[in-house]
Amino acid sequence: QKEVEQNSGPLSVPEGAIASLNCTYSDRGSQSFFWYRQYSGKSPELIMFIYSNGDKEDGRFTAQLNKASQYVSLLIRDSQPSDSATYLCAVNMKGYSTLTFGKGTMLLVSP
Amino acid sequence: DAMVIQNPRYQVTQFGKPVTLSCSQTLNHNVMYWYQQKSSQAPKLLFHYYDKDFNNEADTPDNFQSRRPNTSFCFLDIRSPGLGDAAMYLCATSRDSGEQFFGPGTRLTVL
């Protein structure tokens, strides 16, 4: 059973704070990990991907991967109200060409 | 700009009346996907084409069919839409098992 778990939220943070979004996955052989942002009524937009253990930074976003713990996270620094959206974690599991999505975490950034 | 295009953006149909949704891409990606997404749920993969090879998810209803006449285009046919088929339909593309890029989606309403 392929599973990707996320806390549905909402996660509420004040403007300027660090938002931390978490995701766990069931398949130890998973190889690729993606974070998508989805605004209400819109399609998912890719914001980060990570393949190796450790941190990957892109602007205000940092993805963190710990394969031993089967855990991937997304940190958003200096959160802005425009970051308010649902963040979807997606995992490419070994032997599959497709992605398994979590249900997403809703982030609310208050001014 | 290279992109994924979906038409129409909004589709209203009657119960049982066939409908076709279209997707085109200028990314020259070899894999195309169709997802169904209902409110507050994860995108659910219906099927995908890896090059010319069609891959149907085990739980995709027979009511849903797909065609990929060439690399750039993919169609989703819903033969007899039911009320439960009302959803956002998302097309995505990727190069092999890499990151997926989504089109804007088609919002389907069934009356």
Side-chain angles (χ1 to χ4, degrees):
Chain A
Q1 182 77 9
K2 301 183 288 178
E3 291 186 352
V4 177
E5 300 287 342
Q6 295 181 257
N7 188 321
S8 61
L11 172 66
S12 295
V13 300
E15 184 175 358
I18 296 174
S20 178
L21 303 161
N22 304 314
C23 173
T24 59
Y25 57 94
S26 61
D27 186 351
R28 186 170 291 277
S30 297
Q31 298 176 312
S32 313
F33 307 85
F34 305 86
W35 283 100
Y36 287 83
R37 177 176 62 199
Q38 187 172 27
Y39 293 113
S40 181
K42 303 295 186 183
S43 64
E45 173 192 8
L46 180 67
I47 53 173
M48 289 286 289
F49 60 88
I50 186 166
Y51 301 141
S52 303
N53 273 330
D55 295 359
K56 179 181 178 182
E57 187 175 317
D58 183 1
R60 295 186 297 114
F61 299 97
T62 299
Q64 298 176 318
L65 175 61
N66 184 326
K67 289 188 176 181
S69 299
Q70 296 175 232
Y71 176 95
V72 57
S73 64
L74 179 70
L75 302 178
I76 306 175
R77 289 181 299 281
D78 188 24
S79 295
Q80 301 297 309
S82 59
D83 294 327
S84 298
T86 295
Y87 289 80
L88 299 166
C89 173
V91 177
N92 175 238
M93 300 195 177
K94 186 177 182 180
Y96 294 87
S97 59
T98 58
L99 296 179
T100 300
F101 282 85
K103 293 184 177 180
T105 298
M106 181 183 290
L107 172 66
L108 297 175
V109 182
S110 54
Chain B
D1 286 341
M3 57 177 58
V4 182
I5 301 163
Q6 291 188 245
N7 285 301
R9 296 292 308 280
Y10 301 91
Q11 176 73 59
V12 180
T13 190
Q14 292 181 333
F15 183 94
K17 185 174 182 181
V19 66
T20 295
L21 311 182
S22 74
C23 177
S24 63
Q25 53 120 347
T26 61
L27 297 163
N28 201 31
H29 284 168
N30 60 326
V31 190
M32 295 186 77
Y33 309 80
W34 279 107
Y35 291 88
Q36 178 193 66
Q37 188 179 28
K38 298 184 176 180
S39 182
S40 302
Q41 295 185 20
K44 178 182 182 298
L45 182 65
L46 297 173
F47 23 60
H48 73 284
Y49 278 92
Y50 200 115
D51 297 316
K52 295 182 179 180
D53 294 333
F54 177 71
N55 298 272
N56 197 34
E57 293 299 296
D59 57 354
T60 298
D62 292 340
N63 197 26
F64 292 85
Q65 304 285 319
S66 185
R67 297 170 281 138
R68 187 180 187 186
N70 54 54
T71 302
S72 301
F73 284 86
C74 197
F75 299 96
L76 170 61
D77 300 309
I78 309 176
R79 293 191 295 185
S80 182
L83 298 178
D85 296 327
M88 175 79 89
Y89 289 88
L90 297 164
C91 174
T93 73
S94 70
R95 167 65 56 192
D96 298 321
S97 301
E99 52 269 35
Q100 293 185 19
F101 296 91
F102 285 83
T106 295
R107 172 74 64 186
L108 177 67
T109 300
V110 182
L111 300 177

